[in-house]
Each structure stands twice: as structure tokens, then as C-alpha cells.
Amino acid sequence: MKDPILKLRSATRRAKSDVANKLISMFLHELSRRVSQNWPIKVDGEEYEKLVRERFDNRCPYCTCDLTDIESVIEHLDGMNRYRAGLHVPGNVLVACRRCNGEKRRDDSLKILSLAESGWESFLSHDGTRCAASCRTCRYWRSIWEDDTERTVRLGENLQRIRSFRRAFSQFEQALPSLMETQPALLTKLYSDCQAFAEMEIKTLLERFDAISEAKT
Ligand SMILES: [Zn+2]
Ligand SMILES: [Zn+2]
């Protein structure tokens, strides 16, 4: 059990990280608008969602479950965080099942990926042959396709289908390499600057509070 002081410290650390992550998400949304403003299709329009659903037969692009009767969510192939630097633009946005969206977060939040270059490719690479026995993503895919051969085939098919989906958005494919080269480093800096700023502001305000309290006594 953690003692209360340690608990409080880790809660403060989490809050600071939440603020920094929020700032990164705000920046990535603004950047998305700027990057895609002249593209022929808008990501938030009905047309785009219809196109995505048709392209994947109204199934989850990861586990291929039917999305007709279950809750679906907007999913970013490259997650919108400081490691994956994903954008809210056509080609990166899909409709997926809530379960896969949650399970994929584990790969998305890793600084360094060992199975593939991107978070979504990594998520679909847990075929049960390359991870430790305790890997939760491997276990997730095993729960969906029990048979080893079928699982490998299905994961590979879904990888290919998503790759070819992305290739259909030429503006996105053109913009991606330079974004991937520059953004993660910028976002890492934004993240640590934001945390340093929060820390300094809180410290300054606390010192001011102490000074006022002392003056009163
Ligand atoms: Zn799914
Ligand atoms: Zn795994």
C-alpha cells in the first residue's frame, strides 16, 4: 500500500500529464485542420463516415466484427498522442468497435514499438509468436480467433486492407512522411515544456500564498 503523501504525489503527476496530453491533442486538432483544409473530402462530414463504413463492409477494421448492432467509436489509426502524432484527417480516421479501440491503446501509448513501425500495425502484429506469454494484446486476439492459423491469416488480411484504405488518400500519403519525421520530437518538447510550466506556476503561486500568510501573522 502506498502512503498518502506518495499517493498525492502520483495524483499530481498524473494531473500534470493530463494537462500536457490535452495540450498535445488540441495542437494536433489544429494542425489537422490546417493540413487538410484543401483536401477534397472532410473528415467530419457524413460522406466520409459513409465511405469508411462501405470500405470495411460496416465491420470493425481490426477484428471484423459487425458494427450494425454494437456501439462503434471514431478511431485514429495513428493515435493522437505525442508518440504516434496522429491527425484527425481523412485516411487516419476509421470507425471501429469500442473493444478494439480500447485494446489498441496499449500499443499506442508505447514510446518505442518493437513489432511494427506504427501503433495500428503493431496492434495487428500480436499474432502470439513474438511476445511474452503474458502479453494482453496477444491474449485479446486469441480470444477472437482461437485457431493459430486463422488468427495469423485474419490479422494479415486486416493489415493489408487498412494499408490499401490509406493509400486511397493521396494527400494524406504525401503529407505523412514529413509529419512523422518532425512531429514526435516537437510534441515531446511541447509535453515537457507544458509540465515544466505547470510546475513553475504552481510553485510561484504557492510561494505567494505563503508570503501573504506570513505577512498576516
Ligand atoms: Zn474490433
Ligand atoms: Zn503480443
Side-chain angles (χ1 to χ4, degrees):
M1 270 270 114
K2 275 188 180 177
D3 73 66
I5 302 267
L6 274 181
K7 238 189 215 167
L8 189 62
R9 265 192 210 144
S10 77
T12 311
R13 203 164 39 235
R14 236 184 352 260
K16 268 188 295 195
S17 146
D18 285 348
V19 170
N21 285 329
K22 184 71 198 166
L23 189 62
I24 284 168
S25 155
M26 285 165 69
F27 168 71
L28 287 171
H29 270 101
E30 285 301 326
L31 182 64
S32 306
R33 252 188 291 270
R34 196 162 291 201
V35 167
S36 67
Q37 61 185 348
N38 296 319
W39 295 8
I41 187 162
K42 295 282 166 252
V43 73
D44 288 320
E46 263 174 45
E47 191 196 348
Y48 182 74
E49 183 173 344
K50 194 165 164 260
L51 183 146
V52 170
R53 286 188 187 268
E54 270 173 18
R55 192 61 206 265
F56 293 97
D57 297 322
N58 203 26
R59 288 175 180 277
C60 173
Y62 302 121
C63 73
T64 52
C65 74
D66 191 343
L67 294 175
T68 311
D69 296 318
I70 64 160
E71 196 187 356
S72 51
V73 292
I74 291 297
E75 154 70 19
H76 295 97
L77 284 168
D78 292 319
M80 294 182 82
N81 65 37
R82 69 187 192 280
Y83 298 136
R84 303 287 91 82
L87 295 182
H88 189 65
V89 296
N92 196 46
V93 174
L94 293 176
V95 183
C97 79
R98 186 172 282 285
R99 238 167 29 131
C100 285
N101 178 265
E103 298 280 341
K104 175 170 166 282
R105 238 167 261 164
R106 269 192 301 276
D107 290 58
D108 275 346
S109 63
L110 293 175
K111 185 175 181 186
I112 294 164
L113 299 165
S114 59
L115 296 179
E117 295 220 335
S118 67
W120 64 273
E121 287 168 305
S122 175
F123 179 51
L124 288 170
S125 300
H126 290 262
D127 57 9
T129 63
R130 287 184 285 168
C131 299
S134 57
C135 175
R136 289 169 66 190
T137 309
C138 284
R139 204 187 313 156
Y140 175 62
W141 291 129
R142 228 175 279 133
S143 77
I144 292 180
W145 300 294
E146 208 182 311
D147 181 76
D148 288 350
T149 314
E150 188 192 7
R151 189 168 59 249
T152 307
V153 169
R154 293 300 193 93
L155 289 172
E157 280 172 359
N158 293 349
L159 258 174
Q160 289 311 325
R161 196 175 303 123
I162 296 174
R163 279 197 192 115
S164 86
F165 168 80
R166 265 160 94 96
R167 275 198 294 272
F169 299 89
S170 55
Q171 288 90 354
F172 177 57
E173 287 278 288
Q174 277 160 21
L176 203 58
S178 77
L179 285 169
M180 278 308 170
E181 204 174 303
T182 54
Q183 290 309 306
L186 289 177
L187 295 178
T188 300
K189 184 178 180 310
L190 180 60
Y191 183 85
S192 61
D193 286 355
C194 178
Q195 292 215 317
F197 173 78
E199 217 154 290
M200 196 184 67
E201 286 296 296
I202 289 170
K203 189 168 166 266
T204 309
L205 288 175
L206 286 176
E207 279 167 3
R208 200 175 300 166
F209 174 81
D210 287 345
I212 292 169
S213 310
E214 260 169 50
K216 275 189 185 159
T217 53

